[in-house]
RNA sequence: GGAGGGAUGGCCGAGUGGCUUAAGGCGUCGGUCUUGAAAACCGAUGUACCGUCAGGUACCGUGGGUUCGACUCCCACUCCCUCCGCCA
């Protein structure tokens, strides 16, 4: 959420931001409410000052045995008026909150202006496309032929867009999770956290999933299933004040992720690319505002490190204003090469939300030299999406006979060099 | 599911209708002392909103009510804790 005062003072900037994002909402209704609110507050505070005066007078008179009937009557009138004004103020503020929640973050100045994914810019790439002497098969075909991926039974147990993995397929999933966590904790200095996989409404609101994207979430009667570890991990410090010297705080968490994928019917219906439930190792940072964009570069390179160790060809793309997520000020997508389809697929998304989430969640820090408490900047990135990593490995490391070589870095975790057919 | 207890500043914690401008402690910051540190002592230290300024207002879990006036009394709700029951 943006600060209403900031919107008021930087209306042009916010309007440009909305236009560049292709957003359809305007600022005028919010600004009108803002004006109304300030007028009402001024009136109410004047009356409250008067009420405090009268109250003091009555208290003193009572001490001297006096009885101020006239003042009491006046007080009653003032109190009624205050109550009325307070109700109106609250209504206006509720309306403003609803409107402000719908305004997306302002893209950072370094973000290219554009309308759709075609305007995203490739920043760099790593590795090379692997060469095949045969026509590479899609990962679901590789997995089903080996008997390690089982979409049919998953559909029977639950439904479409779920997966069962068997044997070394299951082990690959687990190996990747452990491998990623070990790299981020051991080499990147992240602290591992284990969180609830369901959260309440306040947490979903702070990170920006609610109120706008409720149709994307699975829910129980009481809670929402996490669509990403970003939600529980970022909310660890909601409504807390951190110490400046503790920043940046670097966390990493594994969670399953649950997404309805509403509006994506017909897209990626086969394989592991778009599932209702998938595993992800997530990097989250709480950063000092002065260096959060440096933190974004670091965090992105930490996610890249996993792809490098796995020997997977990828490229880094900076999202243009039109493709940028609602809460993000700047996002790099890591796209891994998928030889069967001959395309790069998103496998990680690394974003700096600046103070957008921390304002909603009141995540703050106290500067050392007696300055005012400030909002932290929050960042996160997949490090990586595990299901898509499995897909990438199956496609990039497949061999003519249908077996799949295990990337060097993963062998200690897999216990084998080769994934052969299930017996 | 049943019974009971609780929610006050960064943290702990006192506070039964108007000197609450929220006691006291811890922590933090500054100072004195010290070669330096610790200890001791002295002082400072909440957040947000309105206003160009002066200044003003609000905030003791949330929302109502009573009252001239609510941290304090009444009602409802939320969350946390303890015990019992059930249970991986």
């Amino acid at each position: 959420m943006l600060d209403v005062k900031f919107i008021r003072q930087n209306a042009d900037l916010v309007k440009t931001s909305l236009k560049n994002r292709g957003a359809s909402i305007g600022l005028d209704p919010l600004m009108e409410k803002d004006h109304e609110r300030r007028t009402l507050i001024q009136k109410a505070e004047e009356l409250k000052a008067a009420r405090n005066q009268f109250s003091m007078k009555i208290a003193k008179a009572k001490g001297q045995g006096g009885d101020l009937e006239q003042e009491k009557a006046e007080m009653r009138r003032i109190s009624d008026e205050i109550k009325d004004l307070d109700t109106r103020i609250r209504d206006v503020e509720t309306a403003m909150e609803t409107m402000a929640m719908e305004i997306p973050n302002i893209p950072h100045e370094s973000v290219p202006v554009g309308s759709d994914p075609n305007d995203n810019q490739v920043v760099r790439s790593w590795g090379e496309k692997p060469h095949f002497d045969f026509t590479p098969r899609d990962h679901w075909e590789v997995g089903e032929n080996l008997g390690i991926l089982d979409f049919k039974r998953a559909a029977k147990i639950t439904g479409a867009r779920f997966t069962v993995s068997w044997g070394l397929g299951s082990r690959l999933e687990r190996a990747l999770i452990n491998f990623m966590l070990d790299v981020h904790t051991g080499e990147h200095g992240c602290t591992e956290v284990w969180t609830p996989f369901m959260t309440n409404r306040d947490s979903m609101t702070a990170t920006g999933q609610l109120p706008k994207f409720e149709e994307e979430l699975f829910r129980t009667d009481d809670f929402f299933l996490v669509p990403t570890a970003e939600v529980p991990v970022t909310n660890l410090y909601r409504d807390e004040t951190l110490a400046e010297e503790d920043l940046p705080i670097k966390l990493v968490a594994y969670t399953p992720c649950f997404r309805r994928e509403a509006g994506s019917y017909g897209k990626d219906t086969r394989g592991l690319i778009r599932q209702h439930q998938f595993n992800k190792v997530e990097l989250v940072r709480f950063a000092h505002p002065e260096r959060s964009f440096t933190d974004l570069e670091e965090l992105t390179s930490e996610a890249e490190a996993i792809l490098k160790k796995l020997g997977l060809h990828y490229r880094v793309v900076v999202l243009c204003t039109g493709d940028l997520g609602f809460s993000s000020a700047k996002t790099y997508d890591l796209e891994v090469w998928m030889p069967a389809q001959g395309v790069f697929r998103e496998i990680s998304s690394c974003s700096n939300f600046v103070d957008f989430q921390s304002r909603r969640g009141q995540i703050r820090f106290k500067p050392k030299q007696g300055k005012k408490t400030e909002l932290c900047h929050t960042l996160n990135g997949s490090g990586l999406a595990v299901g898509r990593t499995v897909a990438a490995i199956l496609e990039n490391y497949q061999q003519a006979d249908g077996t799949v070589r295990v990337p060097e870095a993963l062998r200690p975790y897999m216990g084998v060099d080769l994934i052969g057919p299930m017996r």
Side-chain angles (χ1 to χ4, degrees), chain A residues 96-255:
Chain A
M96 285 175 68
E97 172 119 339
T98 306
M99 289 186 242
M101 285 283 193
E102 299 284 321
I103 297 176
N105 203 354
I106 298 171
H108 187 249
E109 57 193 11
S110 65
V111 171
V113 175
S115 54
D116 59 58
N118 293 322
D119 296 321
N120 296 343
Q121 291 175 6
V122 177
V123 176
R124 59 179 169 273
S125 64
W126 183 92
E128 285 171 14
K129 297 179 176 65
H131 172 75
F132 293 95
D133 296 328
F134 57 96
T135 307
R137 292 166 288 265
D138 289 300
H139 68 272
W140 57 83
E141 206 181 325
V142 175
E144 283 183 317
N145 287 345
L146 290 170
I148 60 172
L149 293 184
D150 185 347
F151 299 103
K152 273 204 161 71
R153 288 198 178 89
K156 174 175 68 180
I157 301 169
T158 307
R161 294 196 191 282
F162 287 88
T163 308
V164 169
S165 6
W166 294 88
L168 287 172
S170 175
R171 177 142 184 171
L172 179 58
E173 195 86 12
R174 177 163 59 91
L176 282 168
I177 293 166
N178 283 331
F179 166 67
M180 291 175 191
L181 287 170
D182 285 351
V183 171
H184 293 311
T185 55
E187 296 178 27
H188 302 146
C190 297
T191 301
E192 184 177 347
V193 279
W194 186 267
T195 67
F197 301 156
M198 293 187 259
T199 78
N200 56 31
R201 183 168 281 275
D202 285 347
S203 294
M204 288 292 172
T205 304
T207 35
Q209 279 71 26
L210 293 179
K212 214 173 174 226
F213 304 104
E214 183 152 3
E215 71 283 355
E216 265 300 312
L217 300 172
F218 284 111
R219 60 176 304 176
T220 66
D221 287 346
D222 302 304
F223 304 117
F224 296 91
L225 273 61
V226 299
T228 158
E230 162 191 353
V231 179
V233 178
T234 305
N235 275 280
L236 284 170
Y237 294 118
R238 173 156 58 83
D239 295 323
E240 292 192 29
T241 304
L242 303 165
E244 183 173 32
E245 59 266 31
D246 291 340
L247 301 177
I249 294 175
K250 301 171 62 174
L251 304 178
V252 61
Y254 155 75
T255 71

Side-chain angles (χ1 to χ4, degrees), chain A residues 236-377:
Chain A
L236 284 170
Y237 294 118
R238 173 156 58 83
D239 295 323
E240 292 192 29
T241 304
L242 303 165
E244 183 173 32
E245 59 266 31
D246 291 340
L247 301 177
I249 294 175
K250 301 171 62 174
L251 304 178
V252 61
Y254 155 75
T255 71
C257 304
F258 304 93
R259 298 184 183 179
R260 298 186 68 95
E261 296 297 342
S264 65
Y265 297 112
K267 268 190 214 165
D268 309 316
T269 48
R270 298 199 69 181
L272 297 171
I273 299 299
R274 198 173 297 276
Q275 299 272 292
H276 286 312
Q277 176 189 318
F278 61 96
N279 292 311
K280 184 156 58 71
V281 170
E282 184 79 359
L283 298 162
V284 175
R285 276 199 196 203
F286 299 86
H288 195 287
E290 280 168 20
R291 54 155 288 166
S292 65
F293 283 94
T294 306
D295 281 279
L296 176 62
E297 299 300 322
E298 281 180 20
L299 184 140
T300 306
S301 72
E302 289 173 6
E304 288 180 65
I306 302 293
L307 287 165
K308 287 178 181 170
K309 283 173 187 288
L310 292 175
L312 292 167
H313 174 45
Y314 71 91
R315 63 183 192 186
V316 182
V317 165
V318 60
L319 300 192
C320 72
T321 52
D323 200 27
L324 196 61
F326 178 78
S327 304
S328 177
K330 183 172 186 177
T331 297
Y332 290 114
D333 274 3
L334 307 189
E335 297 181 337
V336 70
W337 175 248
M338 299 296 278
Q341 297 133 60
V343 293
F344 285 96
R345 292 305 296 245
E346 177 190 337
I347 196 165
S348 170
S349 193
C350 303
S351 303
N352 184 2
F353 304 92
V354 297
D355 58 8
F356 192 85
Q357 294 180 327
S358 52
R359 181 171 297 105
R360 290 181 172 219
Q362 287 299 298
I363 303 167
R364 301 176 299 168
F365 73 95
K366 182 90 183 161
K368 253 186 164 167
Q369 290 305 332
K371 284 179 278 182
K372 281 185 70 165
T373 308
E374 288 183 59
L375 294 169
C376 293
H377 283 190

Side-chain angles (χ1 to χ4, degrees), chain A residues 18-30:
Chain A
L18 290 172
K19 185 173 145 262
N20 288 343
R21 278 177 170 276
S24 55
I25 48 170
L27 291 181
D28 293 346
L30 179 62

